[in-house]
Every structure is written in structure tokens, then in C-alpha cells.
Amino acid sequence: MIKVSRFVCNMLQENAYVVNDESCEAVVIDCGALYNMERNAIIRYIKDNELKPVHLLCTHGHFDHVIGNDTITREFGLKPEVAAEDKHLMNLKKQLKDMMGMDYDNEVPPIGRLLTANDIIGFGTHSIKILPTPGHTLGSVTFYIETEHVAFTGDTLFKMSIGRTDFEGGSWTDMTNSLINVLAKLPANTKVYPGHGEPTTIGDELRYNPYMR
């Protein structure tokens, strides 16, 4: 059995997740913690529950999902893992200047691993499959824990909505393929933890989300 803890972060209300099982090994997914209060809350939760983070995972490289990675790297020695197609986005100085007109001076941690569809991410007694789901970005992926029927979809699938496709690397064709040919084929009882907003299920999205039909 896994436990999923959600932390709503930064000005874009991004969802960062800490996921652990009974072994107390954990993965951190999409650490978008920007403000000190957010960063401290995640660190405090991990330490108070005596968790051992073993992976720092990124569903994609947009700043609101990765800007807190430096805190996890500093505290636990983990380096971010992201798909190769989004490697260039991990240059936050350039991304924030291009997208937001912001200067960013924090040190950006080096990438630890470039994820591919064949990778299996292990923590405790559980394994995470990498499902490529491009459309929001070229390197967007979904992290799927098959034994628990749990999927972390980043900015591909939201509750009753989907991610934007008008950013650099976005593609409506790719997004449609990811929704219909990848996510829609997961079991209906799969719990979806999106990059923004509330959790949902694949079954509910198939019934009510017009983009999944």
C-alpha cells in the first residue's frame, strides 16, 4: 500500500507529491516548491515521517514543476530525473527569462538520469512505469504504479480538463494521442494525481472529460 501526500506550491498552484510505502522509501514527484514555507513543509513532512527519498522525478520540465528541486538535492542528495526531450527545460535561468521575464539566480541541480519508456523506477516494494505522454511538452511523461492503479499525469490530464499545447514543444496531435492511446487505456479505477487541481480517476475522465472521448 502506498501513501500519497500532496503539497500545493507556487503562484500557479502546482501539485508536488511525496509517495511512500511501508518500507518508508519514498519518491518526490514534481517538486515545484518556490517559497520557503512550501520548501520547509515538504522537508518537514519527510523528516517527521522518517521517510527516505530515493528518487526525484519530473513529469516534465516546466519551471512550476521543478523549481524546488534544489531543496531536495541539497537536503537528500538526489538529482532530478526527467525525459531527455525536456532536458533543455531544466535550464531554469533561460526558461524563466523566456516564459516569465524573470531573473533566476539559484543554482540549478544537475540532471541525474534521463528517463525513457523502458525505465522502471523502484522504491520500497513498488515499481513505477514510465509512460511517455507528450503533448504539453515533448518530454512529458506519466508515472504509473500499476500494482496500485495510480498515475501521476503532470500537465497532460487534469480533472475534467487537459494541459495546454501552445507552449514550445507542445502539440495538439501528440496530446490527443497521449490521452486516447495511452491514458484512456489504463484501468478505469486508476487514481489520477494531476499536476494541478484535484485527483480524479480514469473512469470519471472517460465519462465526463470531452477530451478523452
Side-chain angles (χ1 to χ4, degrees), residues 125-205:
T125 61
H126 289 81
S127 297
I128 301 174
K129 289 185 174 182
I130 311 299
L131 305 181
T133 47
H136 182 64
T137 67
L138 283 172
S140 288
V141 300
T142 290
F143 297 117
Y144 180 48
I145 306 177
E146 185 173 18
T147 56
E148 302 280 346
H149 299 304
V150 167
F152 298 87
T153 56
D155 284 2
T156 299
L157 177 63
F158 303 135
K159 184 176 183 178
M160 306 306 148
S161 189
I162 62 171
R164 293 172 59 171
T165 60
D166 58 335
F167 293 125
E168 177 189 356
S171 165
W172 176 252
T173 300
D174 287 348
M175 176 67 80
T176 301
N177 181 68
S178 294
L179 295 169
I180 302 303
N181 295 320
V182 180
L183 296 182
K185 296 191 182 301
L186 297 178
N189 65 340
T190 299
K191 185 76 171 286
V192 172
Y193 290 95
H196 301 267
E198 296 299 316
T200 183
T201 66
I202 290 295
D204 281 350
E205 296 311 302

Side-chain angles (χ1 to χ4, degrees), residues 8 47 49 60-61 65 83 95 107-108 113 133 137 159 161 187 195 199-200 203:
V8 180
K47 291 184 175 180
N49 288 277
H60 63 293
H65 291 254
Q95 185 187 160
E107 185 174 352
V108 178
R113 179 180 181 180
T133 47
T137 67
K159 184 176 183 178
S161 189
T200 183

Side-chain angles (χ1 to χ4, degrees), residues 13 23 29 32-33 35 45 82 145 148 164 169 175-176 204 211:
Q13 299 290 282
S23 74
I29 299 175
Y35 307 111
Y45 173 82
V82 66
I145 306 177
E148 302 280 346
R164 293 172 59 171
M175 176 67 80
T176 301
D204 281 350
Y211 298 104

